[in-house]
């Protein structure tokens, strides 16, 4: 049992009893634990030691697909579940390095020979009773990477079905419960966030003069709104979602009782509404001339870490 200085200060092992050493090692340990209040407390825990393991998600970025496996897991054969799990390939280290083991395991189980593998994190999967620390890997694959049928090793009781699924379908299967294996859910979510993020346009706030230079003339203010709206269709055609603060703020001001530009309700809500809208946007497009209000939106966007563009040419196609 590994003990560092911190554990030696907080934990005193009193006795270890082996309960079973058949498939793996089940032990009962009695120890004294130093609580934060300075009191020692005697506790007893059972731990199951099966060694550490590794798991890997194979993904194809161009096709947005992943390789998973389906196999029978007896511990999950219980009321409400048939015992068959859809998983990422995995295996115990058995004295090998995590990278060595996962390369061999993924070929045995899926039939794919992988090139470069990337470790993304490691985690204790059931720290209440199991000692295992799992190493998580990802690797790209293509159809030419498959050099065998996979299926696992029959003499080890493995009977594995290899599945190639679109990532979107796999995530739906997580949502509806067809995929309920913890390590696999973690890897699929990692893929969604970091390997194959969903391509989408930006919600862009168009900020420009509204009252500035108009003397509150409704016709001139309408022209300013029209100037901001003129860039909306090109943004939309590029795959983005344009939005003007005026589109949302002016109806809200009317509901709140504002009767004219510059009254107390207007002053209290107009720019505050734009700032709240910014928290739901991905970027700002600043157009037109001088405007304290538009500059305020730019400053708030910069505080939020949002990109600020000054022309349509700076904004890439979604």
């Amino acid at each position: 049992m590994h003990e560092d200085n911190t554990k030696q200060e907080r934990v005193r092992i009193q006795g270890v009893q082996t309960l079973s050493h058949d498939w793996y090692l089940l032990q009962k340990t009695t120890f004294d634990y130093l609580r934060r209040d300075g009191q020692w407390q005697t506790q007893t825990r059972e731990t199951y030691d099966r060694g550490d393991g590794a798991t890997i998600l194979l993904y194809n970025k161009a096709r947005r697909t992943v390789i998973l496996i389906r196999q029978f897991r007896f511990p999950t054969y219980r009321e409400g579940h048939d015992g068959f799990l859809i998983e990422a390939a995995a295996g115990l280290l058995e004295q090998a390095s995590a990278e060595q083991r996962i390369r061999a395991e993924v070929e045995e189980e899926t039939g794919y020979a992988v090139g470069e593998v990337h470790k993304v994190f490691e985690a204790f999967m059931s720290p209440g009773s199991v000692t295992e620390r799992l190493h998580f890997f990802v690797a790209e694959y293509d159809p030419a990477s498959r050099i065998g049928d996979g299926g696992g090793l029959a003499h080890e009781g493995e009977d594995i079905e290899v599945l190639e699924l679109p990532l979107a379908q796999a995530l739906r299967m997580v949502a509806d419960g067809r995929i309920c294996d913890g390590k696999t859910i973690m890897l699929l979510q990692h893929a969604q966030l970091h390997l194959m993020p969903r391509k989408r346009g930006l919600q862009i706030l168009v900020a420009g003069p509204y009252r500035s230079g108009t003397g509150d003339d409704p016709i001139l203010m309408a022209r300013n709104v029209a100037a901001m709206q003129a860039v909306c269709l090109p943004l939309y055609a590029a795959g983005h979602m344009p939005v003007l603060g005026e589109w949302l703020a002016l109806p809200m001001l009317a509901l709140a009782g504002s009767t004219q530009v510059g009254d107390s309700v207007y002053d209290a809500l107009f720019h505050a509404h734009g700032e709240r809208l910014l928290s739901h946007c991905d970027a700002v497009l600043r157009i037109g001339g001088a405007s304290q209000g538009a500059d305020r939106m730019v400053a708030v966007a910069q505080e939020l870490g949002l990109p600020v563009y000054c022309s349509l040419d700076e904004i890439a196609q979604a």
Side-chain angles (χ1 to χ4, degrees):
M1 181 178 296
H2 173 73
E3 294 186 0
D4 58 23
N5 291 333
T6 302
K7 290 182 180 178
Q8 291 172 3
E9 294 172 357
R10 299 290 297 270
V11 178
R12 297 172 179 168
I13 304 298
Q14 299 298 329
V16 180
Q17 178 186 0
T18 297
L19 303 178
S20 175
H21 200 179
D22 182 10
W23 188 248
Y24 296 112
L25 178 63
L26 178 62
Q27 293 180 316
K28 179 179 180 180
T29 301
T30 302
F31 60 95
D32 294 332
Y33 171 73
L34 180 60
R35 300 176 59 86
R36 289 180 298 157
D37 61 9
Q39 300 297 312
W40 287 93
Q41 181 181 45
T42 300
Q43 300 184 13
T44 300
R45 294 289 185 272
E46 292 183 4
T47 55
Y48 192 54
D49 187 352
R50 57 194 301 270
D52 292 341
T55 183
I56 190 167
L57 181 70
L58 301 184
Y59 68 99
N60 184 298
K61 186 176 294 187
R63 300 170 62 184
R64 298 185 64 82
T65 54
V66 294
I67 299 296
L68 299 176
I69 61 174
R70 186 173 185 266
Q71 63 180 324
F72 182 71
R73 295 288 202 179
F74 181 75
T76 69
Y77 182 62
R78 50 182 292 181
E79 184 177 354
H81 199 275
D82 62 6
F84 286 90
L85 289 186
I86 296 175
E87 310 175 44
L92 297 177
L93 301 189
E94 297 175 339
Q95 309 305 314
S97 73
E99 183 173 328
Q100 289 173 332
R101 185 62 249 162
I102 203 57
R103 286 182 180 277
E105 199 70 35
V106 73
E107 187 173 329
E108 290 174 5
E109 295 189 353
T110 70
Y112 284 86
V114 296
E116 189 175 4
V117 299
H118 300 276
K119 185 176 179 180
V120 290
F121 50 80
E122 57 186 60
F124 290 102
M125 298 304 294
S126 186
S129 58
V130 181
T131 63
E132 179 186 26
R133 190 197 314 257
L134 196 59
H135 302 260
F136 288 76
F137 291 87
V138 295
E140 293 195 66
Y141 80 94
D142 58 49
S145 304
R146 193 167 193 183
I147 61 173
D149 294 332
L153 303 177
H155 68 271
E156 293 185 0
E158 294 179 326
D159 180 26
I160 293 172
E161 178 185 1
V162 182
L163 307 174
E164 183 177 35
L165 299 173
L167 175 62
Q169 180 181 347
L171 291 168
R172 288 195 298 270
M173 294 169 74
V174 171
D176 65 26
R178 284 178 289 169
I179 294 179
C180 54
D181 172 66
K183 66 181 182 296
T184 307
I185 293 172
M186 294 165 71
L187 282 170
L188 290 172
Q189 291 177 339
H190 176 84
Q192 181 185 33
L193 290 171
H194 302 291
L195 304 178
M196 295 180 283
R198 183 178 299 278
K199 295 180 180 179
R200 67 178 184 90
L202 304 174
Q203 179 154 295
I204 300 176
L205 176 70
V206 180
Y210 176 53
R211 294 178 67 189
S212 298
T214 68
D216 291 344
D217 183 330
I219 294 177
L220 297 180
M221 288 191 293
R223 288 178 182 173
N224 282 341
V225 172
M228 288 186 278
Q229 291 181 153
V231 302
C232 290
L233 193 57
L235 284 174
Y236 192 82
H240 303 293
M241 180 62 70
V243 60
L244 269 62
E246 288 75 10
W247 288 347
L248 301 175
L250 296 178
M252 188 65 66
L253 289 169
L255 289 172
S258 176
T259 58
Q260 63 179 8
V261 172
D263 64 18
S264 60
V265 176
Y266 180 99
D267 289 341
L269 293 182
F270 184 75
H271 291 303
H273 190 89
E275 292 179 17
R276 183 177 298 187
L277 176 60
L278 266 176
S279 67
H280 300 277
C281 293
D282 303 301
V284 169
L285 173 58
R286 172 67 164 96
I287 67 167
S291 169
Q292 291 184 352
D295 290 342
R296 181 174 171 178
M297 294 301 104
V298 168
V300 173
Q302 291 171 336
E303 290 176 1
L304 293 172
L306 304 179
V308 177
Y309 303 107
C310 295
S311 73
L312 286 170
D313 295 337
E314 298 177 11
I315 303 174
Q317 184 92 10

